[in-house]
Amino acid sequence: MANLHIQLHLVALFFLSSLTLPSNCLPALHPKPPVALHPKSPVALIVFGDSLFDPGNNNYIKTTTTFQANFPPYGETYFKSPTGRFTNGRTIPDFIAEFAKLSLISPYLQTGHHEVLTKGVNFASGGAGALVETNKGSVISLHMQFNNFREANKQLRLKVGKRAARRVVKNAVYLISIGSNDYLNPLINNPSMFKSHAPQDFVAMVVGNITSVLKKIHREGGRKIGILTLGPLGCFPRLRLANVAAGGNGECLEQATALVKLHNPLLSQKLQLLQKQLKGFKYSYFDFFTVYTETIQNPPKYGFKEVKSACCGSGPFRGNFSCGGKRGVKEYELCHNPKDYLFFDAEHPSEAANFLSARLMWGGPSNVTGPYNIRSLFMR
């Protein structure tokens, strides 16, 4: 853990120092990409996932404000207006794209599905899960995101030819964040469900669906996967609020943490198995749980002043998902300095927290991201 402490501390200092400069100076502060990033043939970044990664796809589907963030104060720290991202600024894929010297990766539903794969595209949808049933009818599930990717690949082949399209898809880095909603949805809306479903069986079903999509991406030609574990969901402001509602003092909700501790090891096991089974399959596994747990235990060391309450929301810990006043509860509070907060709203990290994760994913130590880091995937 000593290496992790040092890395997190340096990342926090790096980000906080960058906030004192104009935003247009930020890209120059990021580490230069490796020479082996092949400037004549740039590596695309293709993104799947949930609200942690959604850049605004949910702006273009029939849904409710529960699954949207296209209203203030979302986006106001960096973009100066809402984009559909569930944070005050940039997301993890935004930072990864900057590190790789790519443009910000556009929402698939904004760009259409023609040549977008050549530079990268983001299929993520806020509220999505690995299970099709998770928030069904209001989000784009992981399986539907894969179908959209397959259609984009089909259009790419028609445009540039099979050989060129195969090269784009094979060289691309695929970034995935999924699974949180599969557990949060029943925990918040139907906690009794786990009385009739064994947690181990439910977790196996979620991880099985993730594994299934990874195999499909491989069959489509993808080889390099960057994937996040689940974070300490029970310590998110919304779950601390649930703890208070159940008569607690706002501690981390143990039922959620228990599910995460089943999910993450199983996902790791499946990834190791896929690397043995699938030709050319390489992955970067980011330990989101450990990074956030360390930060919650030692906030000042990592540049944060508040790690329990959200910057934006209402109620205890600002744990009501009311940021922006368009989700049923109109009243909400907003902090003055989002960079001091680990969480921007009841469920989502601040831009400062996203930078912390992205920087460690890009080039963090092996006990946080492995067996490859994202930088090395771009080089291969």
Side-chain angles (χ1 to χ4, degrees), residues 45 92-105 378:
L45 179 62
I92 292 172
D94 292 332
F95 284 116
I96 295 296
E98 288 184 23
F99 300 159
K101 298 300 182 185
L102 300 171
S103 301
L104 291 182
I105 307 302
F378 271 94

Side-chain angles (χ1 to χ4, degrees), residues 155-330:
Q155 295 297 324
L156 181 66
R157 289 195 298 268
L158 292 174
K159 186 175 180 64
V160 303
K162 290 183 180 180
R163 180 177 294 180
R166 189 181 302 116
R167 185 165 57 249
V168 169
V169 171
K170 181 180 179 180
N171 290 339
V173 173
Y174 298 81
L175 205 60
I176 301 171
S177 167
I178 203 74
S180 295
N181 293 303
D182 297 300
Y183 303 113
L184 287 174
N185 195 38
L187 282 171
I188 292 171
N189 300 313
N190 185 23
S192 63
M193 191 197 76
F194 290 107
K195 294 181 180 178
S196 56
H197 291 75
Q200 293 88 343
D201 294 340
F202 188 83
V203 169
M205 185 166 56
V206 172
V207 174
N209 275 261
I210 296 172
T211 304
S212 172
V213 170
L214 294 178
K215 289 179 178 178
K216 290 178 180 179
I217 291 173
H218 184 270
R219 283 199 295 270
E220 199 70 14
R223 293 294 182 267
K224 299 179 289 185
I225 303 292
I227 192 164
L228 278 69
T229 72
L230 299 186
L233 300 181
C235 299
F236 286 20
R238 195 169 186 183
L239 277 299
R240 289 187 186 273
L241 176 64
N243 177 273
V244 171
N249 296 317
E251 300 92 346
C252 299
L253 193 69
E254 286 302 319
Q255 188 178 9
T257 302
L259 290 167
V260 171
K261 288 182 177 180
L262 290 172
H263 176 101
N264 288 346
L266 182 59
L267 177 62
S268 177
Q269 292 170 19
K270 295 297 183 182
L271 288 168
Q272 292 174 46
L273 188 60
L274 290 179
Q275 185 166 248
K276 294 177 181 178
Q277 293 176 336
L278 304 180
K279 183 179 179 180
F281 182 89
K282 297 179 177 67
Y283 72 93
S284 176
Y285 175 86
F286 176 60
D287 193 350
F288 194 27
F289 182 88
T290 295
V291 170
Y292 266 52
T293 299
E294 288 284 309
T295 306
I296 289 169
Q297 291 173 349
N298 302 283
K301 189 170 183 178
Y302 306 127
F304 297 99
K305 295 180 180 179
E306 178 54 63
V307 295
K308 294 182 178 180
S309 294
C311 168
C312 185
S314 59
F317 303 101
R318 292 180 184 151
N320 282 322
F321 192 42
S322 59
C323 185
K326 294 185 180 293
R327 300 191 182 101
V329 179
K330 293 184 178 181

Side-chain angles (χ1 to χ4, degrees), residues 340-353:
D340 293 337
Y341 284 71
L342 184 64
F343 296 99
F344 180 66
D345 70 14
E347 295 181 355
H348 303 102
S350 65
E351 183 187 63

